[in-house]
Amino acid sequence: MFLLKAIQYKCGNDVAFIIMNVKGDDLLHIHQKNENISSSQIRDWEDLGIPCEPFKHVRYLYPYRKQKDKMYANTSLPLDDLEEQLTKGHASNFIYTYEHDVNKIDLLFANVDDPSWTLESILNYIYSGKEFPSDQSWSDFKGALRDACSKGNNIIKNSNIVIQSWQRFRRLINNSINNDIFVDNRSNSNDQHQTYLSDEILNIRGGEMLVVDIAQLNEQLQCLVFGDIIKTVYSLKHGDFDQEQRTSESPIPKKIIIFVDELNKYAPSTASNKNSPLLANLLEITERGRSEGIILFSAEQFRSAVHDRIKGNAGTNIYGRTNALEISRPDYRFIPSVYANMMTRLKKGDLIIQHPIFKTLLKIQFPYPSYNQGGSK
């Protein structure tokens, strides 16, 4: 978070940021000042030439949730704080409709085994639009899937896919799209604060920081949201989108940094689904993203749990305190034993950095956070 703050201050409008909040409300107050910071900790910031201030130009995107007559968000952020952010226009609730987002449902199966490619075949058939028109709703879609799973249905005959595969697909879909973020129609009322996540990203401006809260979503929905972000960022940088979707008059940022915690959930070292679209997009970022202005920041408790190709393309590695079992993994065999042993005894805030510009590893300490860390600090 210090690196992100330093980049925002130094680079200004050249860089935009997308941050994934994956637990509690840790990153849902970053526009607010840290009131618990001491004068000596403030001086650490001043010595580095960076103002001890919270993040600027922050907007929050929360999963939509309907509750009675009011529109809340599926978040652990206190309700008073949420209403204040919504009222001031600093937050929105993101939704998914069939017409706008059906082409993204493959991301729901990012961690589902599909050894015979049947799920992919069904998705390709759905995307063809033969039996599933694009102007229907999620309710219509589920109804069509129910009909498809009945014997003698034309969908079974036309798709050449056995009914058992359609039944499995229907079960997976019904388990996935029963969340409030899947709405049949987007509300036309301005007080609903509803938005499409991909539209918000397509209109991101330089210097802006979008915080996407996925902490309360299950693993499948987290994969959907994270994959949606990555695909949209690629569309934005490649110009592969409808120009009417980008209403912002600001130029597209030169670089976009995506930060996600617990990366091992989305790109595990033991990835069972080799055809996962999410994993493929992550590998694309780490292998070619930097040359296109897309940069991945990630954090995880155990480096050994992350996919090898992602670790191999990491330009900077920073290690915190970990246990002896993790140190014994092959990932650490090239680290000098003095530093490996040090990792089991590091104090909170002490880190070891590895970067090509340095000939050896360095033990460092970042300044104390300048922003409000929420209730789980």
Side-chain angles (χ1 to χ4, degrees):
M1 292 303 291
F2 165 77
L3 292 175
L4 294 178
K5 174 59 186 173
I7 292 171
Q8 187 182 50
Y9 175 70
K10 295 284 187 179
C11 299
N13 293 335
D14 286 342
V15 183
F17 308 84
I18 301 172
I19 295 179
M20 310 289 290
N21 180 69
V22 300
K23 55 186 176 184
D25 62 341
D26 290 17
L27 304 176
L28 303 180
H29 307 266
I30 63 174
H31 67 293
Q32 298 173 336
K33 182 179 180 181
N34 189 345
E35 301 293 346
N36 299 319
I37 195 166
S38 66
S39 56
S40 61
Q41 291 168 336
I42 293 176
R43 283 196 297 271
D44 290 339
W45 285 86
E46 294 172 347
D47 291 342
L48 294 171
I50 302 173
C52 184
E53 299 173 347
F55 289 93
K56 297 181 178 180
H57 313 301
V58 181
R59 293 183 57 246
Y60 300 93
L61 298 173
Y62 299 105
Y64 168 79
R65 182 180 70 183
K66 184 176 182 179
Q67 183 173 335
K68 295 183 180 178
D69 296 329
K70 292 187 178 181
M71 300 300 164
Y72 294 114
N74 190 2
T75 177
S76 57
L77 182 72
L79 184 58
D80 291 343
D81 292 333
L82 175 62
E83 290 182 341
E84 180 183 359
Q85 290 181 8
L86 292 170
T87 301
K88 291 183 177 180
H90 296 160
S92 299
N93 297 332
F94 63 85
I95 59 172
Y96 287 89
T97 62
Y98 185 91
E99 184 175 6
H100 189 272
D101 302 297
V102 64
N103 62 334
K104 302 168 186 173
I105 59 175
D106 59 326
L107 296 166
L108 290 169
F109 309 119
N111 293 331
V112 177
D113 288 337
D114 186 24
S116 58
W117 302 74
T118 53
L119 294 179
E120 183 170 342
S121 299
I122 291 175
L123 286 168
N124 289 334
Y125 186 80
I126 291 172
Y127 293 157
S128 70
K130 295 177 181 178
E131 309 284 349
F132 298 88
S134 61
D135 58 350
Q136 64 180 344
S137 67
W138 292 115
S139 299
D140 297 332
F141 178 54
K142 289 193 286 188
L145 287 178
R146 181 181 62 250
D147 294 339
C149 293
S150 58
K151 293 183 178 180
N153 189 275
N154 287 332
I155 292 179
I156 303 295
K157 297 177 181 177
N158 296 336
S159 66
N160 294 319
I161 301 172
V162 297
I163 189 173
Q164 290 82 0
S165 297
W166 280 101
Q167 290 171 341
R168 182 192 182 211
F169 180 84
R170 181 191 174 201
R171 287 195 300 271
L172 292 171
I173 283 292
N174 287 339
N175 290 335
S176 300
I177 63 175
N178 59 359
N179 190 281
D180 284 348
I181 62 173
F182 297 97
V183 301
D184 283 344
N185 297 288
R186 182 177 180 180
S187 173
N188 294 321
S189 177
N190 291 329
D191 62 353
Q192 306 290 329
H193 306 288
Q194 291 184 0
T195 187
Y196 293 119
L197 179 60
S198 56
D199 286 357
E200 293 294 323
I201 295 171
L202 285 175
N203 286 283
I204 196 170
R205 299 184 297 272
E208 187 176 27
M209 181 167 285
L210 295 181
V211 180
V212 183
D213 185 18
I214 59 173
Q216 300 296 313
L217 300 179
N218 63 36
E219 184 174 336
Q220 279 184 298
L221 296 184
Q222 287 184 355
C223 288
L224 168 66
V225 173
F226 188 32
D228 189 12
I229 289 172
I230 294 175
K231 290 178 66 174
T232 307
V233 168
Y234 259 98
S235 296
L236 178 63
K237 296 297 287 185
H238 292 166
D240 185 23
F241 62 95
D242 187 346
Q243 294 297 328
E244 294 181 356
Q245 291 179 277
R246 181 167 173 83
T247 58
S248 175
E249 297 180 357
S250 302
I252 296 174
K254 293 180 180 179
K255 296 185 184 298
I256 298 177
I257 295 177
I258 302 172
F259 169 60
V260 61
D261 197 0
E262 305 295 348
L263 180 65
N264 53 286
K265 289 176 60 176
Y266 312 107
S269 58
T270 57
S272 57
N273 185 2
K274 305 299 183 181
N275 305 318
S276 166
L278 177 55
L279 177 58
N281 287 326
L282 281 169
L283 293 175
E284 181 75 15
I285 286 182
T286 56
E287 293 174 350
R288 284 171 286 277
R290 274 173 289 185
S291 63
E292 300 175 347
I294 306 173
I295 301 167
L296 180 68
F297 274 33
S298 69
E300 57 281 325
Q301 289 189 347
F302 301 111
R303 172 186 169 89
S304 60
V306 177
H307 198 282
D308 287 341
R309 283 168 61 186
I310 289 180
K311 292 180 292 190
N313 284 281
T316 303
N317 295 284
I318 302 176
Y319 303 90
R321 183 171 180 172
T322 189
N323 57 47
L325 179 61
E326 173 69 4
I327 295 298
S328 66
R329 304 290 186 185
D331 294 73
Y332 300 85
R333 65 177 177 268
F334 297 112
I335 294 178
S337 58
V338 61
Y339 290 101
N341 293 331
M342 192 185 300
M343 290 177 193
T344 64
R345 305 189 304 270
L346 289 173
K347 297 179 181 178
K348 187 175 182 178
D350 286 348
L351 300 161
I352 294 175
I353 187 169
Q354 184 182 42
H355 190 277
I357 198 172
F358 304 124
K359 295 182 179 180
T360 185
L361 280 73
L362 296 177
K363 180 184 176 183
I364 58 175
Q365 186 175 59
F366 286 118
Y368 197 75
S370 61
Y371 63 92
N372 182 350
Q373 296 179 277
S376 53
K377 53 182 177 291

